[in-house]
Amino acid sequence: MLGDDEFDEPEDEKLPGNVQAVIKVAKLSSDNDLIGHEAEILRYLYPEGAREEKFYRYLPKLHASTKIRGRAANVLSYAEGFITLADTLKACPDGIDYRDLAWMLKRSLVAIGYAHERGVVHGAVVPTHILVHPTGHGAKLIDWSYAEAGGKNSIKAYVGEYKDYYPPEVFKRQLPGAEVDTYMLAKCCVALLGGDVKTNKLPDTVPEKVRDFFRPLLLESPGARRLRGGAAAWDLHDRFDWILKELVGKPKYRPFRHCPPAR
Ligand SMILES: Nc1ncnc2c1ncn2[C@@H]1O[C@H](COP(=O)(O)OP(=O)(O)OP(=O)(O)O)[C@@H](O)[C@H]1O
Ligand SMILES: [Mg+2]
């Protein structure tokens, strides 16, 4: 925990009592712009003073953006009881049931759909950036450092560990569209369902309708993805609901059991 005197600048906003926070600090001062950019995007998507409700539930809450010994830092609400999809993948290397994936996917599509509606592409939808609550079934899309707003710039950097999750247009420095995020989310789902992230092959135990759902999202060409409906997160959300209705009927609550303990 850092003492008050370690902040270069006084906080202009006090944390409300009993809030657990994560302090994300740039490793190098040359990364200050990434932290500052995340703060800018979050202030736009989750306005100051807004309560944690509606779409805001799917985003981290920024309490303050400051500097600690010359390095930029964002103070964010700690998402208690949440685990990352990377934790889940580690605990379940053979994959999880598609009915468990269902709510993780749907909540992530809401977060992405809201951002897209406001002209923001997240640009780094990888397993370490999706937090899920195993019993509450909440989700949060975190790390908005790579996001692009307004469609004027390409995605500037990628997370090396997850290179296979990025669509080709990111490496070609093309302007990112909504289909960048839905492609990356589909890759996360392929991994979670026990599939092969390089070839997109899913196990035969995954119902065919679910396998067919992901195929157009993962096409190489962004234009083909858009044409085949792999870009509109809201539509994908509704389409997946229909598939679930056909496969399982009325939705039934399933606590996520095969998961690592919450941190
Ligand atoms: N608000 C939060 N609540 C709980 N855990 C969080 C929160 N924000 C981040 N984390 C945890 O910290 C990890 C890294 O967060 P993030 O991706 O925002 O930072 P980063 O600078 O990219 O970190 P790294 O360089 O370690 O990848 C997440 O994968 C998650 O485990
Ligand atoms: Mg990160």
Side-chain angles (χ1 to χ4, degrees):
M1 198 65 190
L2 288 153
D4 283 345
D5 55 347
E6 288 181 273
F7 285 91
D8 291 348
E9 294 157 7
E11 292 295 317
D12 48 7
E13 186 195 3
K14 287 237 179 325
L15 277 177
N18 293 326
V19 164
Q20 288 193 64
V22 165
I23 305 180
K24 183 170 159 176
V25 189
K27 280 192 190 114
L28 306 164
S29 51
S30 54
D31 289 337
N32 282 358
D33 55 337
L34 281 173
I35 299 283
H37 182 65
E38 177 176 52
E40 213 175 288
I41 295 281
L42 283 176
R43 278 194 207 103
Y44 171 66
L45 289 178
Y46 194 152
E48 202 177 324
R51 296 213 338 244
E52 192 177 353
E53 56 184 14
K54 293 187 194 153
F55 301 122
Y56 306 139
R57 280 184 295 158
Y58 303 100
L59 305 172
K61 185 176 178 66
L62 177 76
H63 290 287
S65 192
T66 184
K67 274 199 178 146
I68 299 172
R69 297 195 201 113
R71 286 177 296 151
N74 287 339
V75 183
L76 304 149
S77 271
Y78 176 65
E80 200 168 357
F82 283 71
I83 55 175
T84 68
L85 292 189
D87 297 329
T88 305
L89 277 169
K90 218 178 277 171
C92 311
D94 295 331
I96 64 173
D97 191 293
Y98 78 92
R99 291 166 296 176
D100 293 317
L101 176 90
W103 60 266
M104 302 177 191
L105 167 63
K106 282 174 54 190
R107 305 291 187 280
S108 303
L109 283 170
V110 173
I112 287 173
Y114 167 65
H116 292 174
E117 195 172 88
R118 305 221 49 207
V120 176
V121 174
H122 182 277
V125 183
V126 296
T128 43
H129 294 161
I130 299 178
L131 304 180
V132 294
H133 195 289
T135 51
H137 289 192
K140 286 182 196 294
L141 183 55
I142 64 162
D143 198 350
W144 292 79
S145 310
Y146 307 87
E148 279 308 329
K152 292 195 193 77
N153 297 298
S154 58
I155 306 287
K156 286 179 199 63
Y158 65 89
V159 183
E161 191 189 344
Y162 292 108
K163 198 170 177 200
D164 290 336
Y165 287 62
Y166 285 80
E169 66 267 27
V170 168
F171 302 108
K172 292 180 191 158
R173 301 262 168 194
Q174 290 170 358
L175 293 183
E179 64 282 352
V180 166
D181 287 344
T182 51
Y183 178 103
M184 297 190 78
L185 180 58
K187 285 280 190 187
C188 293
C189 294
V190 167
L192 279 168
L193 288 169
D196 181 337
V197 173
K198 278 192 196 290
T199 62
N200 301 327
K201 174 137 179 50
L202 283 164
D204 295 340
T205 46
V206 175
E208 198 180 347
K209 282 183 200 302
V210 174
R211 282 184 273 146
D212 288 349
F213 174 84
F214 290 113
R215 205 161 292 127
L217 279 61
L218 290 163
L219 293 169
E220 283 291 292
S221 142
R225 262 177 263 144
R226 273 195 299 273
L227 279 174
R228 299 275 304 277
W234 295 139
D235 291 349
L236 292 170
H237 179 278
D238 292 353
R239 221 185 307 151
F240 199 75
D241 251 351
W242 275 109
I243 290 173
L244 283 177
K245 216 176 264 178
E246 282 174 25
L247 290 174
V248 296
K250 214 169 158 222
K252 224 161 102 197
Y253 173 70
R254 276 171 64 93
F256 183 49
R257 295 193 197 287
H258 305 286
C259 58
R263 284 162 301 144

